[in-house]
Amino acid sequence: RFKAYQDYMLGDCKPSEVKAFAADYLEKVMEPCDWLALWSTDVFDVLVEVCDLDLKDLKACVRLVLPLQCDTRGCELTEEAMKSLLEATQHRLPLQELLVVYEQSGDFDLTALALEHLRFLYTHIWRQWDEEDEDDDFDYFVRCVEPRLRLYYDILEDRVPLGLVAEYRSLLEKCSQCFQQFSALRRGLSTDSDTELDNVSMVEGLKLYDQLETFKRKLHIIENPLLRYVLGYRGNASQQSVQSRGPRASGMKVVHVVTASCSTIQLQSLLSDRLLPLCSSEDTEIQFYRDPVSAVEMCHQGDVVLVLPGIYSVSSSIFLPDSITIEGFGLPDEVVIEKKNKGDSFVESTGADVRLSNIKFIQHDAIEGILCVRQGTLHMENCVLQCETTGVIVRTAARLTMNMCDLYGSKGAGVEIYPGSICSLVGNGIHHCKDGILIKDFADELDVMPSITMENNVIHNNEGYGVILVKSNNGEQPGVPLDRSDDSILIRPVPKRPCWTDGVQPESAENSSSTDCDVAAASGRKWHFIRQLSRNKETSCSRAVQDLMDHQIFVSIQGNQFRRNGMGDLGTFFY
């Protein structure tokens, strides 16, 4: 599809030229007449014969094939009724509603393929409001088709979180309804009238226009892969399907022991070191399980899960809705939980006070992260997180305390921090990810800034930045001047696109112990990628970091080491 739209159908057309370019493409590849097709609608499929093409309006002139051959859904159709229906349409049907009937000769294969490209374009790519853009002078394929096509297949191949998919579809529906209301109101206005009713309609039209622009902006953010990565989304409350079980009615506490098998020495050590201290009272019992998912599913508030050394492969997500403790009995590399199947997240925590320690998690195909703190508080200590897709996510109003952990391998950010969350990172290693830490923002309204503590972390060997802060531009441009000696690279001038501000690399990787650097400059209509800033500009860069401290994003930031991060230690993304 990508090649068909880019090279054959649309080329470099503008939004106002899409229909004409599509018609020109169809004229070159479609058979003009004498082929059979199914006229397919929501309620029936009827066999018709195409007599001629009206490509200017993307329609076909057809006649009914007799005797009537149709398949109905919830209605009855007679031959006379179908003739009347075709007469009402003047025997001209939209090409998108025609499905070419297969011919073994292959003469109509290109016709069928062309109609499929057209149908897909107007079903999944084209928006009613695309022609309404005041700035029509842009490449429609680059601006709209490519990102929407990639998003379509990302959703199809389970690369987008379900909550974001639901939000996207909801926004599409709201935007469509708003556009229809706005269009109807606009058609009803008289250009030379100054009546009170028209004035009221004008005010209402301006409100609808503002709503429409807001919806379009949010859709653009989700469709753009870069903005989708750096900006957060609200999420879907229906995702939180696992409810807290609360304490047991009997008041009994249970210690859940997970092991496939263990030696006598391990059992003696477990008994003396953990079970006897935990089971000192009569209201505690011990239960045994072969896998951690079964143990967690049986937990109530206050329970403890002890996972003995071994490699535990799980096929489902681990949900933690209650305040429980999960502890590996051994070193993290000895207690391994590995997820094999796809899913939104690997470990999802919503409990008020959840504790994890001494466990290695290995993630495969978890769309929304190896660990997602959706709400409540999670304390994690001495864990290893081997990511394959994305890392740890701290959602709005959630709290994460992560101490002495090792996180690596994320194709996104190692830690994603949402507005309104509280995150404490102390003594961790975050490395070999796309970015180390991504501090997100929402695109719709002002939110409470996150509260972040970063102390004694080593953030190194990440492909992009050590830490990225996402901020709304609010019409202001970052203010460090550029000169030609910076070896700046202009990626592409695009209106209404975000701009990067790069941090400064430390003087040497070995001596780097903190990040006193932020911002270079960018134009509001351009993306600039600036290579290493020279040392004589560190003063102006340090001022940007001080601005972040003044905004109280960081409660404490000290003793951190940044080494060999590909694009710099600290970057700010303005959108």
Side-chain angles (χ1 to χ4, degrees):
R1 294 189 193 279
F2 188 98
K3 186 174 180 62
Y5 292 133
Q6 183 180 40
D7 296 346
Y8 301 109
M9 180 179 282
L10 300 177
D12 58 355
C13 73
K14 303 172 184 178
S16 58
E17 299 172 334
V18 168
K19 190 173 182 180
F21 271 61
D24 184 61
Y25 164 74
L26 296 175
E27 184 178 9
K28 294 175 181 176
V29 299
M30 286 186 65
E31 293 293 331
C33 59
D34 300 330
W35 46 275
L36 298 179
L38 280 182
W39 177 21
S40 181
T41 69
D42 292 336
V43 294
F44 61 77
D45 294 326
V46 175
L47 187 64
V48 295
E49 182 181 358
V50 174
C51 308
D52 195 9
L53 297 177
D54 180 7
L55 295 179
K56 183 179 179 181
D57 292 328
L58 300 182
K59 291 188 176 182
C61 299
V62 304
R63 62 168 171 259
L64 189 65
V65 174
L66 299 176
L68 178 68
Q69 300 179 53
C70 68
D71 182 19
T72 61
R73 292 176 282 278
C75 67
E76 292 186 6
L77 279 179
T78 63
E79 185 177 308
E80 291 302 318
M82 185 53 61
K83 286 181 178 179
S84 300
L85 186 58
L86 281 174
E87 288 175 2
T89 64
Q90 299 180 337
H91 291 266
R92 297 168 73 249
L93 303 179
L95 286 173
Q96 298 99 292
E97 296 181 5
L98 297 181
L99 303 174
V100 180
V101 174
Y102 174 70
E103 284 279 351
Q104 194 169 2
S105 65
D107 293 342
F108 305 118
D109 287 358
L110 286 179
T111 299
L113 183 61
L115 286 184
E116 172 57 25
H117 287 320
L118 181 73
R119 185 164 34 252
F120 186 92
L121 174 69
Y122 280 98
T123 303
H124 299 290
I125 305 297
W126 177 258
R127 310 283 184 249
Q128 304 171 68
W129 50 87
D130 282 348
E131 282 186 311
E132 299 287 320
D133 200 316
E134 296 176 359
D135 177 21
D136 186 58
D137 190 19
F138 62 84
D139 188 326
Y140 183 71
F141 178 84
V142 173
R143 176 79 71 85
C144 299
V145 178
E146 181 179 356
R148 291 173 186 173
L149 191 60
R150 293 190 186 282
L151 177 61
Y152 174 84
Y153 281 102
D154 282 345
I155 292 174
L156 191 67
E157 296 169 10
D158 296 324
R159 295 199 211 104
V160 182
L162 293 178
L164 186 56
V165 174
E167 184 171 321
Y168 180 64
R169 289 172 177 165
S170 174
L171 281 171
L172 274 177
E173 184 177 352
K174 290 177 182 177
C175 194
S176 179
Q177 293 173 355
C178 184
F179 178 77
Q180 291 171 8
Q181 294 173 9
F182 175 73
S183 299
L185 188 63
R186 184 173 54 184
R187 286 193 299 269
L189 287 174
S190 175
T191 56
D192 56 355
S193 175
D194 195 28
T195 65
E196 182 178 349
L197 182 60
D198 274 355
N199 288 336
V200 171
S201 297
M202 184 70 73
V203 173
E204 184 64 26
L206 289 173
K207 291 180 180 178
L208 286 173
Y209 178 79
D210 286 341
Q211 290 180 15
L212 183 63
E213 289 300 307
T214 300
F215 288 139
K216 287 164 64 176
R217 179 169 176 260
K218 292 180 179 180
L219 286 170
H220 169 68
I221 286 171
I222 297 176
E223 290 166 353
N224 184 298
L226 177 59
L227 294 177
R228 189 164 71 239
Y229 168 60
V230 299
L231 293 175
Y233 70 96
R234 296 293 178 180
N236 187 1
S238 63
Q239 283 182 291
Q240 302 171 14
S241 56
V242 179
Q243 300 297 320
S244 172
R245 303 175 188 88
R248 289 181 176 81
S250 62
M252 179 76 69
K253 297 292 178 66
V254 176
V255 177
H256 307 262
V257 178
V258 179
T259 181
S261 61
C262 66
S263 65
T264 306
I265 297 175
Q266 282 180 322
L267 190 58
Q268 288 176 340
S269 179
L270 176 67
L271 185 63
S272 60
D273 294 345
R274 300 300 294 134
L275 293 182
L276 288 178
L278 289 171
C279 304
S280 57
S281 59
E282 294 182 357
D283 61 348
T284 304
E285 69 177 38
I286 303 172
Q287 297 178 3
F288 290 86
Y289 301 85
R290 295 183 64 87
D291 70 274
V293 174
S294 300
V296 169
E297 287 176 348
M298 297 304 296
C299 282
H300 285 252
Q301 182 177 312
D303 285 0
V304 176
V305 179
L306 296 176
V307 186
L308 270 63
I311 299 176
Y312 302 90
S313 294
V314 300
S315 57
S316 60
S317 298
I318 299 175
F319 296 99
L320 307 174
D322 288 284
S323 299
I324 63 172
T325 297
I326 303 177
E327 179 184 326
F329 187 68
L331 298 174
D333 286 336
E334 298 173 343
V335 184
V336 179
I337 302 176
E338 182 176 12
K339 186 174 188 294
K340 295 291 189 181
N341 293 0
K342 286 187 176 181
D344 259 23
S345 58
F346 183 178
V347 180
E348 185 169 312
S349 176
T350 56
D353 185 14
V354 178
R355 297 177 181 272
L356 292 175
S357 61
N358 304 331
I359 298 175
K360 180 176 183 178
F361 295 95
I362 300 178
Q363 165 211 43
H364 300 286
D365 294 324
I367 302 168
E368 201 178 1
I370 192 168
L371 189 150
C372 179
V373 190
R374 196 168 295 279
Q375 63 185 39
T377 301
L378 175 68
H379 302 273
M380 183 163 52
E381 186 169 342
N382 196 33
C383 289
V384 176
L385 304 167
Q386 180 180 318
C387 310
E388 186 177 90
T389 50
T390 51
V392 174
I393 298 175
V394 191
R395 298 300 298 265
T396 299
R399 181 191 294 259
L400 169 68
T401 300
M402 180 172 160
N403 298 337
M404 305 301 293
C405 294
D406 189 32
L407 187 156
Y408 58 91
S410 172
K411 290 184 176 66
V415 180
E416 295 183 4
I417 302 173
Y418 275 64
S421 63
I422 300 174
C423 187
S424 174
L425 305 173
V426 179
N428 302 289
I430 302 173
H431 55 99
H432 294 93
C433 301
K434 179 179 179 180
D435 295 295
I437 298 171
L438 174 60
I439 304 170
K440 291 199 171 190
D441 193 8
F442 287 129
D444 43 8
E445 69 261 1
L446 184 64
D447 283 272
V448 178
M449 296 300 290
S451 177
I452 303 171
T453 299
M454 285 180 58
E455 296 179 357
N456 303 320
N457 300 286
V458 181
I459 302 174
H460 65 96
N461 290 101
N462 295 292
E463 180 183 340
Y465 292 90
V467 177
I468 294 181
L469 173 65
V470 180
K471 296 175 65 178
S472 173
N473 211 9
N474 292 328
E476 301 176 2
Q477 304 303 329
V480 180
L482 285 176
D483 58 47
R484 295 184 183 275
S485 63
D486 287 329
D487 190 22
S488 61
I489 301 173
L490 173 62
I491 301 300
R492 179 178 19 170
V494 180
K496 300 179 183 177
R497 287 289 181 92
C499 53
W500 278 104
T501 304
D502 281 357
V504 183
Q505 292 280 15
E507 180 178 346
S508 68
E510 290 74 21
N511 296 329
S512 157
S513 61
S514 65
T515 176
D516 285 338
C517 47
D518 198 9
V519 181
S523 162
R525 297 173 65 87
K526 299 177 181 178
W527 287 354
H528 282 286
F529 175 78
I530 295 83
R531 296 190 191 276
Q532 303 282 355
L533 293 181
S534 57
R535 291 182 60 191
N536 60 10
K537 297 184 179 176
E538 289 185 8
T539 303
S540 58
C541 291
S542 299
R543 189 179 306 128
V545 175
Q546 186 60 46
D547 289 342
L548 298 183
M549 302 293 289
D550 293 341
H551 285 294
Q552 298 181 343
I553 296 174
F554 295 105
V555 177
S556 173
I557 176 168
Q558 59 184 353
N560 300 290
Q561 299 184 44
F562 292 83
R563 299 174 179 172
R564 297 182 293 278
N565 295 299
M567 297 180 69
D569 296 337
L570 181 62
T572 305
F573 184 94
F574 292 94
Y575 67 95

